[in-house]
Amino acid sequence: MLSSFYIQNFRSILELKLDFTYGEGKAPNGYKGQEVLPFIEAGNKQRFVPCMAFFGANASGKTNLLKALAVFQTMVREGAELPKLFEPNLLNPKFSNTTFALVFILSGACFEYRVSYNATEIQEEALHKNGKALFSIHHLKTTFSAQIVSPSYSEAKLSDILHVECSDGEGRQTKLFLNRIGIGYPGLDSDLRSAFAFFTKSITLWMNRDDIPLNVAVEVLASAMNGDEKAALLEITEVVRRLDIDIVAIDIARQEIATNEAVPHGIMTINRITGTRHSLKITATHNDISGTPAYLDFLKHESAGTQRLAGLVGIVLHALKTGSVLVVDELECSLHPLLIKEIVMLFKKHRHNPHGAQLIVTTHNTDILDDSILRLSEIALVRKTTANGTLVRRLIDAKNDGEDMRNVTNFRKQYLAGYYSAIPHPAL
């Protein structure tokens, strides 16, 4: 699970730290018997929020918070080209590099992975576990811990991997060492393998308003269900139905098509291994006025909200089953406010979230500020200034600074009245 994310010099962000810890001190009385989780507890009584919602005006930089995490994940997972990933703050030249530092918890141990880079080179890369460096690289000068050095992988061999696979041959590191180790040398060390897997498998980002195709959502969920796509589709359908969508059943039919054949139903998949092409037809079953099943084209006849919801449900269920982190930009798009509440509560209730999954969203929907759905530690307000760029402040930080706040307070009215700032002030 995520503990914190430090961002320096990325888009509208000059320098800030996102905190995902439970910051309210003493646990609520009787919390172990409560249905709703006040926090997720890891080893050594470490406590983290199950949800984090970022609120703020348009152009305050909310999406940039999530894009920073997306860029960091891309660097680790794909080793993409630095010029495409270097997007510094253009209004304040205080920093010449972009720096990301993610702190996360794996099996009770605390990891910190830090990278500093610009358009031409990675100047610093380091991975720590419980405060001790597993490796540290600064301008290609290395320190490897005794844990990851072995007879098969001596310091000299590790240094060769770095210089041959991660540098441009002219003294500049251009790819992440963790990326090359994770892809090419997974047997080197279990902690390195786990850290790489956290970035590549334990964080799911939905960064745009496009729907997640239902067939993709089914594949994602099936990966947590022994590959059983039929069971995954049934589970998605059941949750969608329970969220007051009158769909009785959903079916996905696949038909293999020739290379030059047109796709009859508008969806095509290609098997990366065999190269075979399939068209997909998704059918939603409803009952008509007489109770007789009616079969509708899911993409043609179902609403945009239903299609978006079905895809979202798939990745939500995957996160809950695997205890991973789900990050969604503008959660409210095409969804009714009550459905948003239900999705948030899936992460807040222990019976739905026994593995410590986390939901991180940006949103303009203020309904979830009512009814104590989110706690002080789970509400973050985002604003932007010319001098300091995007700034983030959790409500618990305001309370710790002496402001009178309690979890029973209705924050929605105060937020919309401008009490906490982070709202637009139009002058039309």
Side-chain angles (χ1 to χ4, degrees), residues 269-283:
T269 62
I270 301 177
N271 187 304
R272 295 181 180 179
I273 298 176
T274 64
T276 55
R277 303 163 78 240
H278 289 84
S279 67
L280 303 181
K281 182 178 182 180
I282 305 177
T283 303

Side-chain angles (χ1 to χ4, degrees), residues 2-4 17-23 40 48-55 65-66 325-328 331 344 347-348 357-363 368 373-382 392-397:
L2 289 184
S3 176
S4 67
K17 180 180 178 181
L18 306 180
D19 188 352
F20 302 102
T21 62
Y22 175 79
I40 301 168
F48 306 94
V49 296
C51 298
M52 178 66 75
F54 293 101
F55 293 86
L65 302 174
L66 308 190
V325 182
L326 176 59
V327 183
V328 182
L331 176 64
V344 169
F347 288 82
K348 296 278 289 183
Q358 290 174 297
L359 175 67
I360 299 170
V361 303
T362 66
T363 182
I368 56 175
I373 292 174
L374 297 173
R375 300 183 63 88
L376 294 174
S377 294
E378 298 174 313
I379 301 170
L381 306 179
V382 183
V392 177
R393 191 188 194 205
R394 293 194 298 172
L395 289 190
I396 189 58
D397 300 324

Side-chain angles (χ1 to χ4, degrees), residues 140-253:
L140 289 178
K141 295 180 180 179
T142 61
T143 300
F144 300 114
S145 73
Q147 174 181 322
I148 67 172
V149 174
S150 68
S152 300
Y153 292 97
S154 64
E155 288 194 42
K157 183 169 183 177
L158 294 175
S159 183
D160 283 344
I161 293 172
L162 173 67
H163 284 82
V164 173
E165 300 189 34
C166 303
S167 75
D168 62 359
E170 299 180 2
R172 292 186 293 263
Q173 182 182 353
T174 54
K175 293 186 181 297
L176 293 178
F177 183 68
L178 185 61
N179 166 266
R180 303 315 306 152
I181 293 299
I183 294 175
Y185 307 87
L188 172 60
D189 177 76
S190 61
D191 283 334
L192 299 186
R193 183 171 64 250
S194 295
F196 179 75
F198 181 81
F199 275 89
T200 57
K201 297 181 180 180
S202 295
I203 302 175
T204 300
L205 293 113
W206 190 2
M207 287 303 304
N208 55 52
R209 300 184 182 185
D210 294 337
D211 296 335
I212 294 178
L214 179 58
N215 59 295
V216 173
V218 168
E219 291 175 6
V220 170
L221 179 55
S223 69
M225 302 175 67
N226 297 317
D228 191 338
E229 294 190 5
K230 184 177 180 180
L233 179 58
L234 286 173
E235 190 160 342
I236 291 172
T237 304
E238 175 61 17
V239 173
V240 169
R241 187 189 62 78
R242 289 166 56 191
L243 290 173
D244 200 33
I245 307 297
D246 61 345
I247 291 177
V248 177
I250 302 175
D251 179 67
I252 300 179

Side-chain angles (χ1 to χ4, degrees), residues 53-175:
F54 293 101
F55 293 86
N58 294 105
S60 60
K62 299 186 302 299
T63 295
N64 288 341
L65 302 174
L66 308 190
K67 283 187 175 179
L69 183 58
V71 166
F72 200 12
Q73 184 188 52
T74 297
M75 292 181 70
V76 176
R77 182 171 58 192
E78 302 175 13
E81 298 178 11
L82 294 179
K84 296 180 180 179
L85 301 179
F86 182 60
E87 300 182 72
N89 188 305
L90 300 178
L91 302 181
N92 191 328
K94 180 178 180 180
F95 301 106
S96 57
N97 294 334
T98 291
T99 300
F100 299 136
L102 195 72
V103 178
F104 52 99
I105 308 300
L106 294 175
S107 301
C110 182
F111 288 78
E112 179 179 8
Y113 183 56
R114 183 182 184 90
V115 171
S116 183
Y117 69 100
N118 55 37
T120 58
E121 66 176 324
I122 298 167
Q123 297 191 338
E124 178 186 2
E125 180 186 3
L127 177 65
H128 289 74
K129 178 184 179 183
N130 295 331
K132 297 181 179 180
L134 295 175
F135 70 82
S136 178
I137 304 168
H138 187 73
H139 290 288
L140 289 178
K141 295 180 180 179
T142 61
T143 300
F144 300 114
S145 73
Q147 174 181 322
I148 67 172
V149 174
S150 68
S152 300
Y153 292 97
S154 64
E155 288 194 42
K157 183 169 183 177
L158 294 175
S159 183
D160 283 344
I161 293 172
L162 173 67
H163 284 82
V164 173
E165 300 189 34
C166 303
S167 75
D168 62 359
E170 299 180 2
R172 292 186 293 263
Q173 182 182 353
T174 54
K175 293 186 181 297

